């Protein structure tokens, strides 16, 4: 099972890298505007993707200038149009993410959304954010005997997209030093 999972996961990472390269670069440029300007990069991940916020803010290699979008009391930080937001959710049709993206649009904060693009939906995160990165994770990676699939590594694929953004952002910021 692990060999199948590793093979599928590596293939998945390769697809994200190859097919989302331009969105990753555009997203990093948008985030760089806050990092080199007077803004802040705020991060939020829905459900278990909240682990990405911890990675970006508390890890040994934090994202430059990054803060959690929400305070400990659950209220949202006060944002301005100089700020940028990085949102992570499982699927682009997540109603909580769509609602938050609408609020961010009203504020004027540039937003990068990372989720699996679900086509033919009435409302979709990719239509509400400035840049969308598709994690392409619609189903589990390992086929089961009954035809179903399991092994749904949402946090891993989202962290892959996060690191792609982070590395690209660091390259961009190095040009300003």
């Amino acid at each position: 099972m692990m060999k199948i999972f590793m093979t599928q996961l590596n293939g998945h990472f390769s697809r994200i890298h190859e097919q989302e390269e331009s969105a990753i670069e555009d997203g990093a440029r948008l985030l760089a505007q806050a990092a080199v300007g007077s803004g802040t990069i705020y991060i939020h991940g829905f459900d278990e993707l909240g682990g990405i916020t911890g990675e970006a803010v508390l890890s040994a290699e934090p994202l430059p200038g990054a803060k959690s979008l929400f305070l400990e009391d659950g209220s949202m930080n006060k944002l301005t149009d100089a700020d940028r937001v990085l949102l992570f959710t499982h699927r682009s049709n997540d109603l909580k993410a769509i609602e938050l993206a609408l609020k961010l649009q009203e504020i004027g904060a540039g937003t990068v959304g990372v989720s699996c693009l679900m086509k033919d939906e009435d409302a979709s995160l990719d239509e509400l954010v400035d840049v969308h990165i598709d994690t392409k994770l619609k189903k589990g990676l390992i086929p089961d005997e009954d035809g179903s699939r399991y092994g749904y590594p949402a946090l891993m694929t989202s962290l892959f997209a996060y690191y792609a953004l982070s590395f690209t952002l660091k390259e961009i910021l190095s040009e300003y030093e």
Side-chain angles (χ1 to χ4, degrees), residues 38-53:
S38 60
T40 300
I41 299 171
Y42 290 101
I43 300 177
H44 181 67
F46 289 90
D47 301 321
E48 75 267 23
L49 301 185
I52 296 169
T53 303

Side-chain angles (χ1 to χ4, degrees), residues 1-128:
M1 288 301 158
M2 279 307 293
K3 186 168 183 151
I4 293 170
F5 183 72
M6 288 173 40
T7 300
Q8 292 291 331
L9 190 60
N10 282 331
H12 200 81
F13 287 163
S14 293
R15 279 189 299 285
I16 293 170
H17 171 70
E18 292 164 7
Q19 296 171 16
E20 299 301 310
E21 186 173 15
S22 129
I24 290 165
E25 190 168 309
D26 290 346
R29 285 187 208 284
L30 185 67
L31 298 176
Q33 293 171 0
V36 299
S38 60
T40 300
I41 299 171
Y42 290 101
I43 300 177
H44 181 67
F46 289 90
D47 301 321
E48 75 267 23
L49 301 185
I52 296 169
T53 303
E55 186 70 22
V57 175
L58 303 172
S59 73
E61 294 181 311
L63 193 65
K67 293 182 179 178
S68 175
L69 180 60
F70 291 94
L71 300 168
E72 288 185 22
D73 67 4
S75 64
M76 188 165 71
N77 270 298
K78 293 190 188 262
L79 279 71
T80 69
D81 59 1
D83 296 322
R84 301 295 178 256
V85 179
L86 181 53
L87 291 180
F88 290 86
T89 190
H90 289 281
R91 293 178 180 87
S92 62
N93 61 354
D94 178 337
L95 295 178
K96 294 181 293 185
I98 289 168
E99 183 180 310
L100 180 56
L102 285 167
K103 286 180 188 174
L104 296 170
Q105 248 185 1
E106 289 174 18
I107 295 168
T111 304
V112 177
V114 180
S115 67
C116 175
L117 182 59
M118 304 304 288
K119 296 181 180 178
D120 303 322
E121 294 290 326
D122 291 337
S124 186
L125 184 64
D126 68 301
E127 297 170 355
L128 302 171

